Amino acid sequence: MKKISKTKAMKKIEEFFKNIKNKTPKEIKKIKKLAMRDNIKLGEKKKKFCKKCFSPRLKVIGMKNKIKKIRCEDCKNISQWKIK
């Protein structure tokens, strides 16, 4: 596998997340591995896909006490995120 520079990898990740709704879980998994390999933090971007099945189909099911609950449309996994 050909190694690319960290700046090129960051640009590739930025471009990928601009249109994440049309991506497949397999493509998301590849980009996440690219980020891990080059030690690039995804930060807020990791909230755009399910951490269990990597699907971008998420739905907010509620907010309470500065905690946002999100359910994956595919695997029905529920994630909770703190709201800043």
Side-chain angles (χ1 to χ4, degrees), residues 23-84:
K23 306 295 182 185
T24 63
K26 197 172 186 179
E27 292 172 316
I28 294 172
K29 204 171 192 177
K30 275 186 182 180
I31 284 292
K32 188 174 180 213
K33 278 195 173 188
L34 172 74
M36 290 191 305
R37 187 184 72 211
D38 288 325
N39 199 15
I40 299 169
K41 294 195 182 332
L42 291 177
E44 291 291 313
K45 294 180 191 84
K46 67 182 173 186
K47 295 180 182 181
K48 295 184 179 185
F49 59 88
C50 176
K51 64 183 178 180
K52 189 174 178 186
C53 70
F54 299 102
S55 171
R57 298 178 58 223
L58 300 175
K59 184 178 180 184
V60 177
I61 56 171
M63 286 192 267
K64 189 176 179 183
N65 297 334
K66 295 186 179 180
I67 293 177
K68 187 179 195 180
K69 284 189 177 183
I70 298 169
R71 182 179 346 162
C72 176
E73 297 285 304
D74 294 336
C75 69
K76 307 295 184 216
N77 185 48
I78 295 176
S79 302
Q80 294 184 353
W81 299 99
K82 276 189 179 177
I83 301 171
K84 294 179 183 175

